[in-house]
Amino acid sequence: MWNDESARCHSTFHIHHSAFPLRRSFSVTVVSLLVFILAMMQWTRAITLYTRQSFLSEFAISIPLPYAIASAAVWGGVLLAASLALWQMKGWGKWLALAGVAASQSQEWFDRLVFGRSDYSQISLGFSFFISIMILILTWGILLRAKFD
């Protein structure tokens, strides 16, 4: 009834590599995760500022808290949408990610230069500039070369 060949075929469980094809390249996956992390950082910032608004209003903060909360919430939403679209390899997700990352980094620098008054803000300019440039190079360098639907 059972020969050796059929017993051998049924005794192990194999998944063929084509059963779950990866439609996106590894580099696009990395960028999608990076954009997702940036989105979660923005939403964490918005939630933290909102929940500690009464405490923070006691200090002489140069940036208006409603502006900071709203901008972080909006950028979190834009970057999350871009991340999910990149994950699904949507063509519009590429352009949303490119624009969203560039615009959110630009606004971060605008806020830093206009509202930044602390010593730490001044000391960390070089490092922050390096990180922003690396995020832009990684995002733009990978997504401009990637093929989308």
Side-chain angles (χ1 to χ4, degrees):
M1 180 171 209
W2 289 92
N3 60 24
D4 290 336
E5 183 64 29
S6 65
R8 201 172 347 172
C9 289
H10 295 288
S11 65
T12 59
F13 182 69
H14 295 285
I15 297 177
H16 193 267
H17 65 83
S18 65
F20 300 102
L22 184 62
R23 293 184 48 221
R24 67 193 160 277
S25 67
F26 177 74
S27 58
V28 172
T29 301
V30 168
V31 171
S32 176
L33 292 173
L34 170 71
V35 174
F36 179 78
I37 290 168
L38 292 173
M40 293 302 105
M41 289 173 62
Q42 290 288 345
W43 274 357
T44 301
R45 179 176 175 242
I47 291 167
T48 302
L49 289 173
Y50 179 77
T51 58
R52 298 185 178 170
Q53 197 170 10
S54 61
F55 174 72
L56 292 172
S57 62
E58 296 175 9
F59 299 97
I61 298 175
S62 58
I63 189 168
L65 287 176
Y67 164 79
I69 294 167
S71 65
V74 167
W75 287 123
V78 168
L79 294 172
L80 180 63
S83 172
L84 295 174
L86 286 176
W87 190 262
Q88 297 173 354
M89 291 297 291
K90 303 287 185 190
W92 58 267
K94 170 183 177 177
W95 301 110
L96 182 61
L98 290 171
V101 169
S104 66
Q105 291 296 308
S106 298
Q107 181 169 9
E108 179 183 329
W109 277 96
F110 172 79
D111 293 348
R112 179 182 283 270
L113 296 174
V114 172
F115 299 114
R117 294 188 314 197
S118 70
D119 292 338
Y120 177 74
S121 177
Q122 301 304 318
I123 291 171
S124 63
L125 278 177
F127 179 74
S128 295
F129 183 73
F130 173 76
I131 294 298
S132 291
I133 294 299
M134 294 311 297
I135 288 171
L136 291 171
I137 288 173
L138 181 69
T139 304
W140 281 74
I142 290 173
L143 292 181
L144 287 178
R145 293 184 299 147
K147 303 290 185 223
F148 284 79
D149 294 338

